[in-house]
Amino acid sequence: MPARPARILVVAAHPDDELLGCGATVARRAAEGARVWSLILGEGVTSRQGLSAARKKAELKKLRSDAQRANKIAGVEKLILRDFPDNQFDSMPRLKLVQAVEAVVAQFKPDTVYTHSGGDLNIDHQLALEAVKTACRPLPGSSVRSVLSFEIPSATEWRFDAAAGFSPNAFVDVSNFLERKIAALSAYGGEMRSFPHPRSEKYIRALAYVRGGQSGLAAAEAFSVVRTVEA
């Protein structure tokens, strides 16, 4: 009987986080035959100031459409979009976040989960990680063998707190998939910025080269292992 394809779940707080954090890794794993789902918890718009209700509604619709297109480019099999309030995860019961992750884990039964770093400046990122750690705790029979956290340009490096900083200890060679990540992120036209903003193509390329140099590769995405279990 053929081996079951690897199943990877990406849990992100906002649209574009899933690709900023591990878009090239997702593209590589999908090309290798893995099944990849993305769960985006937050709607990503309503915290923006100066927008009318009608404008926010229009931008939210566009962002969700962009997310579908971007994830398809990256090779994601299924994108699940929730609508928790943007930058307000700390204003709602933690249980709702946990249950949202639990529902997808129960349905998909992933082997590996990628999510945010607990050292990020953004509160939604921090709470997404906590929800994943709770939903994916290593109970007997759990499908999840590994949980890894990724870095998000414009959130991870802006914490400026050495004690809470991102310290990668796992790297994925994405030399042949960096262009796919850039192409997928380009579908998020409204989220990307011009250099020297961290959410710019030039910065994202530079970060991949830095992580590559750090790990002896031409280009890499970096992760911190939250936990891993070998059977």
Side-chain angles (χ1 to χ4, degrees):
M1 180 178 294
R4 181 186 112 159
R7 297 189 185 192
I8 296 170
L9 175 63
V10 182
V11 179
H14 314 108
D16 85 355
D17 287 341
E18 77 286 6
L19 299 181
L20 287 168
C22 60
T25 298
V26 161
R28 173 179 167 174
R29 298 305 186 214
E32 292 171 343
R35 297 180 61 191
V36 184
W37 285 18
S38 287
L39 168 62
I40 300 178
L41 295 168
E43 37 80 4
V45 169
T46 55
S47 68
R48 299 175 185 178
Q49 295 183 340
L51 299 180
S52 65
R55 178 72 181 279
K56 286 182 178 180
K57 183 177 180 179
E59 291 206 1
L60 179 58
K61 182 179 180 180
K62 181 181 184 303
L63 184 57
R64 295 172 81 89
S65 176
D66 289 348
Q68 292 287 354
R69 186 167 66 257
N71 278 263
K72 184 176 181 179
I73 292 170
V76 172
E77 174 186 321
K78 183 172 183 177
L79 171 64
I80 301 167
L81 294 165
R82 297 299 303 268
D83 58 357
F84 293 117
D86 185 39
N87 278 288
Q88 299 177 65
F89 287 7
D90 56 336
S91 69
M92 54 185 289
R94 187 83 55 91
L95 182 60
K96 289 188 175 182
L97 290 172
V98 173
Q99 290 176 334
V101 179
E102 284 179 332
V104 177
V105 169
Q107 180 185 4
F108 185 44
K109 296 180 172 54
D111 312 303
T112 301
V113 177
Y114 292 107
T115 192
H116 292 279
S117 166
D120 281 10
L121 180 64
N122 190 293
I123 187 64
D124 290 356
H125 295 188
Q126 297 172 31
L127 293 177
L129 171 64
E130 294 305 311
V132 167
K133 288 195 294 187
T134 304
C136 299
R137 55 201 184 277
L139 297 170
S142 172
S143 67
V144 180
R145 313 305 295 176
S146 298
V147 178
L148 299 98
S149 63
F150 48 62
E151 57 188 332
I152 298 291
S154 78
T156 308
E157 78 278 27
W158 281 353
R159 181 69 179 264
F160 298 117
D161 182 346
F166 178 72
S167 298
N169 53 16
F171 301 84
V172 176
D173 185 348
V174 297
S175 306
N176 295 326
F177 294 91
L178 181 56
E179 296 306 317
R180 182 72 62 84
K181 175 175 181 171
I182 297 299
L185 283 169
S186 294
Y188 278 117
E191 304 304 303
M192 299 299 287
R193 300 288 186 267
S194 298
F195 187 79
H197 195 284
R199 287 202 315 276
S200 63
E201 179 181 336
K202 187 174 182 179
Y203 186 100
I204 290 165
R205 288 184 186 278
L207 181 59
Y209 299 147
V210 167
R211 295 308 187 191
Q214 187 177 7
S215 54
L217 302 166
E221 285 183 328
F223 303 92
S224 178
V225 177
V226 176
R227 72 165 179 86
T228 188
V229 176
E230 293 188 14

